[in-house]
Amino acid sequence: MYTRRTPRSASGSGGLHRRTRSRATTAAGLLATAALLVSACSSGSATTSAAAASAAAEAALIALPEATPAALSSYYGQKPAWRGCGVPGFECATLKAPLDYAEPSSGDVRLALTRKKATGPGKRLGSLLVNPGGPGGSAIGYVQAYAGVGYPAEVRARYDMVAVDPRGVARSEPVRCLDGPDMDRYTQTDATPDDGKETDGLVAAYRTFAEGCGADAPRLLRHVSTVEAARDMDIVRAVLGDEKLNYVGASYGTFLGATYAGLFPDRAGRLVLDGAMDPSLPARRLNLEQTAGFETAFRSFAKDCVRQADCPLGGKGASPERVGETLKAFFAKLDTRPVPTGDADGRRLTESLATTGVIAAMYDEGSWEQLREALTSAMKENDGSGLLGLSDGYYERDADGAYSNLMFANAAVNCLDLPASFDTPDEVSRALPEFEKASPVFGKGLAWAALNCAYWPVHATGEPHRIEAKGAAPIVVVGTTRDPATPYRWARALAGQLSSARLLTYEGDGHTAYGRGSSCIDRTINAYLLRGTPPTDGKRCS
């Protein structure tokens, strides 16, 4: 499951997010939706899926012993050498963590860390670790470009703003799989195959991607799980001198934060889990629910679009179903006749790139106007540059044709955390009716996207499970009612699992809620972070 925070507004420049670097930068692309959809996957068949759901209802993450093992004492006792890192107000350091927690003497992994000290006034409350999600999103880029300068001033006054890139991500020994030209070819692969030849082409693309990742980091690839990243965060907590971990995690970052609470409930401080994931979901249900989430977001966009004079998908009064049919017809046209884009590398707007561009805009209703303009240019002016730009932001491709490691880390973590959703193309074919019912617009592509982990060079080490974190302090779980990437039901489910959870609901559109325009949400979370006052369970904001 690829999910990532997209703040509505931020100050500063550079970084990862739509409002700080590019309106389009949000998450992984459609082929990467394999990563987008398979993070909590188990098996493809309905029977096995039901069995996995039952097993997950019984299985729960077990807390680690409170005492730090002697074999890890040297890691917990590190003293970071802080230095300037070229971003005003921030300093950076590098820490070590064991590559394999089961065998700490077998080698280390280097973790990149950044912080911006509390500005005052007021008593310092310790460190506030932040993570924007992904998996694969750079927490360092996020805090330097957004959280460290855009979080409420009163929060930044009392907390040191801190981020660590998880192992395998960005500055922390990043996994690499394909170079720029190869990644361009990968992103243009037909992700909705119509026959055996196209299916073979998609499978070949997944195999090439996986083989590249395996060749780049054969040892590290076995040790980039969410559980290991959560254990790394406890080393960071100790090194920073904090008794408890204070944390704001968005999207996939909620899974990371909940995992930390499950492993170390006695060390969980003030935790905010915004845009929550449900760790207990087996493959079929997770995939279908997220597919339905994107359909919900698209229907909201469709209703808004037909009220605008420049909507290229239908006039006033057109139903969301009609708007969806028009968009699908446009995608089908691109499947045989890609549209020029003016791209320096000669790329044309294919069906896969256009679909990725549309999905990108579903993460934030603030991008709907941009999407209307991009669709108008492509459909009426034969100019695909707008949708290509949205797709490139989604994949974190820069103007020089280079990609960040977002997509590579995304697959590496997802395919290790849980077994692949589907094992063969035939399994996907049999599942298509369910997916297309969940989303007539995106269902086919999202079903095929869930096949990529079937070819991963490393076997999964995790399974779906509940996280209860018994004994933890109150944890705030935030859900948005029309969130496309982390459906609201997931927030309710996670809040139902965590023994000390308080569910906070935002009634609105877009992915995540904190810092996205709701003063009610922001006041509630700020009160919790600053005064330790959690909201009443079930509180709702709009």
Side-chain angles (χ1 to χ4, degrees):
M1 165 63 51
Y2 182 87
T3 55
R4 192 171 78 209
R5 168 87 179 254
T6 56
R8 186 184 301 276
S9 61
S11 52
S13 62
L16 290 173
H17 299 281
R18 182 175 298 145
R19 299 303 188 196
T20 57
R21 185 182 76 181
S22 159
R23 289 174 60 89
T25 302
T26 55
L30 186 59
L31 278 179
T33 4
L36 204 139
L37 285 175
V38 298
S39 98
C41 309
S42 56
S43 125
S45 73
T47 301
T48 307
S49 181
S54 177
E58 299 297 327
L61 186 65
I62 299 174
L64 293 171
E66 292 187 23
T68 300
L72 299 180
S73 60
S74 63
Y75 296 103
Y76 275 79
Q78 293 175 86
K79 303 295 183 184
W82 295 103
R83 63 190 185 283
C85 46
V87 182
F90 286 89
E91 52 189 359
C92 294
T94 301
L95 300 178
K96 291 181 179 181
L99 176 67
D100 183 353
Y101 276 92
E103 297 183 20
S105 62
S106 64
D108 298 332
V109 60
R110 295 181 298 278
L111 304 175
L113 183 69
T114 192
R115 75 175 177 186
K116 184 179 184 183
K117 290 185 176 180
T119 56
K123 181 181 178 182
R124 179 181 174 276
L125 295 174
S127 305
L128 182 64
L129 198 68
V130 298
N131 184 283
S138 172
I140 289 178
Y142 176 70
V143 75
Q144 290 180 348
Y146 171 66
V149 294
Y151 264 31
E154 57 267 38
V155 173
R156 292 182 284 116
R158 307 284 300 282
Y159 283 101
D160 291 348
M161 300 298 297
V162 178
V164 57
D165 280 344
R167 52 177 64 202
V169 174
R171 297 163 178 83
S172 295
E173 299 198 18
V175 174
R176 304 293 306 182
C177 302
L178 302 176
D179 62 17
D182 284 341
M183 193 63 182
D184 279 346
R185 285 186 285 275
Y186 180 75
T187 61
Q188 295 174 75
T189 302
D190 189 342
T192 56
D194 299 314
D195 54 36
K197 182 178 179 181
E198 290 183 352
T199 299
D200 290 345
L202 181 59
V203 168
Y206 287 148
R207 288 187 185 277
T208 298
F209 185 94
E211 288 167 1
C213 296
D216 175 74
R219 290 190 68 214
L220 180 62
L221 220 58
R222 291 171 169 79
H223 297 288
V224 291
S225 70
T226 297
V227 166
E228 287 163 313
R231 297 193 68 172
D232 293 344
M233 290 202 304
D234 197 53
I235 291 176
V236 171
R237 173 203 59 78
V239 166
L240 293 171
D242 293 317
E243 182 180 348
K244 294 181 179 290
L245 180 79
N246 300 310
Y247 175 85
V248 177
S251 205
Y252 161 81
T254 66
F255 180 36
L256 182 59
T259 299
Y260 180 89
L263 294 173
F264 305 103
D266 58 309
R267 300 173 194 169
R270 299 172 186 178
L271 270 58
V272 177
L273 308 180
D274 183 13
M277 291 181 63
D278 179 357
S280 73
L281 288 178
R284 182 66 54 84
R285 193 162 145 201
L286 176 130
N287 290 327
L288 285 175
E289 288 187 9
Q290 194 186 51
T291 299
F294 277 102
E295 182 67 18
T296 296
F298 176 76
R299 292 176 69 88
S300 290
F301 163 74
K303 291 175 183 178
D304 178 79
C305 186
V306 299
R307 291 195 291 263
Q308 313 302 324
D310 63 344
C311 180
L313 298 173
K316 187 175 182 179
S319 68
E321 291 80 7
R322 182 66 177 175
V323 171
E325 290 169 2
T326 302
L327 182 60
K328 283 183 65 179
F330 171 60
F331 288 159
K333 181 179 178 181
L334 291 175
D335 194 26
T336 56
R337 295 189 343 192
V339 169
T341 65
D343 176 59
D345 294 311
R347 292 178 301 156
R348 296 169 72 86
L349 183 69
T350 62
E351 179 189 13
S352 56
L353 290 173
T355 305
T356 299
V358 173
I359 284 178
M362 294 300 100
Y363 279 77
D364 183 357
E365 69 274 24
S367 291
W368 290 356
E369 179 182 359
Q370 182 185 5
L371 177 58
R372 292 197 309 272
E373 294 170 354
L375 285 168
T376 298
S377 295
M379 298 173 71
K380 298 185 176 181
E381 301 166 14
N382 208 41
D383 176 8
S385 59
L387 283 172
L388 181 65
L390 282 164
S391 178
D392 282 351
Y394 214 47
Y395 281 115
E396 293 196 355
R397 181 192 192 271
D398 66 25
D400 295 327
Y403 290 77
S404 78
N405 103 303
L406 168 66
M407 303 313 312
F408 315 133
N410 184 266
V413 176
N414 284 330
C415 296
L416 191 63
D417 270 351
L418 290 155
S421 180
F422 299 110
D423 293 325
T424 67
D426 286 344
E427 290 182 3
V428 179
S429 295
R430 289 193 292 270
L432 287 178
E434 289 180 290
F435 278 81
E436 292 183 294
K437 182 179 179 181
S439 175
V441 178
F442 304 119
K444 184 177 181 180
L446 295 182
W448 282 107
L451 181 62
N452 79 325
C453 285
Y455 308 103
W456 202 244
V458 176
H459 291 298
T461 57
E463 293 287 351
H465 56 271
R466 295 171 54 84
I467 300 178
E468 299 173 354
K470 293 180 180 178
I475 298 172
V476 176
V477 176
V478 188
T480 298
T481 55
R482 293 185 294 279
D483 191 315
T486 52
Y488 177 64
R489 195 209 69 77
W490 294 0
R492 289 192 286 111
L494 181 61
Q497 294 169 39
L498 292 169
S499 61
S500 61
R502 306 290 178 88
L503 178 62
L504 174 63
T505 297
Y506 173 55
E507 297 177 348
D509 296 292
H511 183 40
T512 74
Y514 186 43
R516 298 192 67 249
S518 169
S519 59
C520 172
I521 289 288
D522 292 353
R523 284 197 307 269
T524 302
I525 292 177
N526 291 345
Y528 172 65
L529 291 175
L530 295 171
R531 296 187 291 278
T533 306
T536 302
D537 189 34
K539 179 179 175 64
R540 302 181 77 89
C541 294
S542 59

